[in-house]
Amino acid sequence: YEHIGDSFAAFGGKDGIDRAVREWQNAFEMGGENRPSVAGKLNKHFLEVGRAFLDTAAKPGADDNDYPSALHAFESALDFDRRSDEAANLIQRTHVLINERNARHDTTLKLIASAEKLTAQADGLTKNEDYGGAIKTYRQAMSFYASIGDEFKDEARKGKEGVRNVKTAINGTIDKILNRGHEAIDQGDKAVEEKRFEEAINLYGTVEGIVNVIPDENITGNKQHAQTKRELIETSKTKVEDAKKAKLKEEERKKAEDAAR
């Protein structure tokens, strides 16, 4: 069996190596004077398999089974050679790596849970029309989602989806704020038409406070929001001055009428 295994190992390829290992295992179970030689070959094979899994496990997006597979391979190597210090050391090292990975995974899950909780809170603030608080809370959620690395595939996907969804929510909230600013200007214009100048001035004066909860920095990739914010503030200030002038003109007109009577 050992020689048959050697032939398949020389042939190479996954199928050849798999067949070689089966033949070596048969030879090992049969015992005999060649058993130590066969044990050495099996030990070497499983050490190589385990190291390959360790290398893969250290890469981003590694499979959850890579570390357990490495551990199983090193334990197999030790089964075939109980004196293998290398196998024993690698088993100990793999246990440490598994524990460390589990700890990182727990931390990642907590980050996602915190981000989801903050997102839900921000959604509630938006419904209550506390848009400034909503944006602040959405940004906190986005920072949690953005901090999720690519070590764990499912969690990395959730992190990227979370960032996208929060950006969409922030954009929607900013749209509501800008609409509220436009509405204040429209109401001010109507008040001017009806010569309710003080009310118009007050309405125009609320615009800057309404839109100032929108962050100056571009956090969602929508450059139009910042521009619209600036335009609304500038427009409201111009309209305040125009309304004051219109008020003064109307007061002067009334004085002239009174004087003419």
Side-chain angles (χ1 to χ4, degrees):
Y1 288 110
E2 180 182 5
H3 295 305
I4 296 174
D6 292 346
S7 298
F8 278 105
F11 178 76
K14 184 180 183 305
D15 291 340
I17 296 299
D18 289 345
R19 178 65 185 275
V21 170
R22 289 199 297 272
E23 297 298 337
W24 288 335
Q25 287 173 326
N26 289 333
F28 181 84
E29 290 171 2
M30 289 180 64
E33 60 181 16
N34 291 335
R35 199 174 195 230
S37 172
V38 174
K41 292 174 183 177
L42 288 167
N43 172 268
K44 179 181 178 183
H45 166 74
F46 284 109
L47 286 175
E48 291 175 353
V49 170
R51 288 194 202 94
F53 276 117
L54 277 188
D55 289 342
T56 303
K59 296 176 181 177
D63 191 278
D64 290 341
N65 293 319
D66 286 337
Y67 277 128
S69 296
L71 182 62
H72 178 71
F74 294 140
E75 289 172 343
S76 296
L78 190 63
D79 286 341
F80 290 111
D81 184 358
R82 287 291 175 182
R83 296 173 299 175
S84 175
D85 290 336
E86 185 176 7
N89 291 335
L90 285 169
I91 288 171
Q92 183 179 5
R93 179 189 169 199
T94 304
H95 276 298
V96 171
L97 292 172
I98 288 173
N99 290 335
E100 289 176 348
R101 187 176 194 270
N102 288 340
R104 291 195 300 274
H105 190 236
D106 287 343
T107 299
T108 301
L109 292 176
K110 289 177 182 177
L111 283 172
I112 291 174
S114 296
E116 290 174 342
K117 182 178 179 181
L118 286 165
T119 301
Q121 291 174 355
D123 290 342
L125 291 169
T126 298
K127 289 180 180 178
N128 292 330
E129 298 185 352
D130 180 1
Y131 299 134
I135 290 176
K136 181 179 178 181
T137 309
Y138 279 133
R139 293 183 71 174
Q140 291 173 341
M142 188 163 65
S143 69
F144 278 113
Y145 280 127
S147 68
I148 296 170
D150 56 2
E151 181 175 8
F152 307 103
K153 287 184 288 187
D154 289 343
E155 287 71 23
R157 175 182 52 78
K158 288 181 180 179
K160 290 182 175 61
E161 287 179 355
V163 169
R164 287 195 300 269
N165 291 338
V166 169
K167 284 184 177 180
T168 298
I170 291 174
N171 281 329
T173 303
I174 291 175
D175 285 338
K176 289 181 172 65
I177 295 168
L178 294 174
N179 287 338
R180 183 176 278 183
H182 284 296
E183 288 170 3
I185 287 179
D186 290 342
Q187 290 171 6
D189 290 344
K190 184 178 180 181
V192 167
E193 290 175 5
E194 297 173 356
K195 298 183 179 181
R196 293 180 282 112
F197 299 110
E198 282 297 333
E199 184 178 346
I201 291 168
N202 289 334
L203 285 165
Y204 293 140
T206 64
V207 172
E208 186 168 3
I210 290 171
V211 301
N212 263 342
V213 298
I214 299 172
D216 290 328
E217 66 271 30
N218 184 355
I219 58 176
T220 65
N222 190 330
K223 296 179 180 179
Q224 186 61 42
H225 282 157
Q227 181 179 341
T228 303
K229 172 186 173 180
R230 289 192 298 270
E231 290 173 351
L232 280 170
I233 292 173
E234 291 170 3
T235 299
S236 66
K237 289 180 178 179
T238 299
K239 286 183 175 288
V240 165
E241 294 304 316
D242 291 344
K244 287 179 179 179
K245 292 176 182 177
K247 178 187 175 185
L248 182 59
K249 186 175 179 179
E250 179 64 16
E251 289 173 348
E252 290 174 348
R253 186 189 66 78
K254 286 182 177 180
K255 285 180 181 178
E257 277 187 358
D258 291 341
R261 287 175 184 172

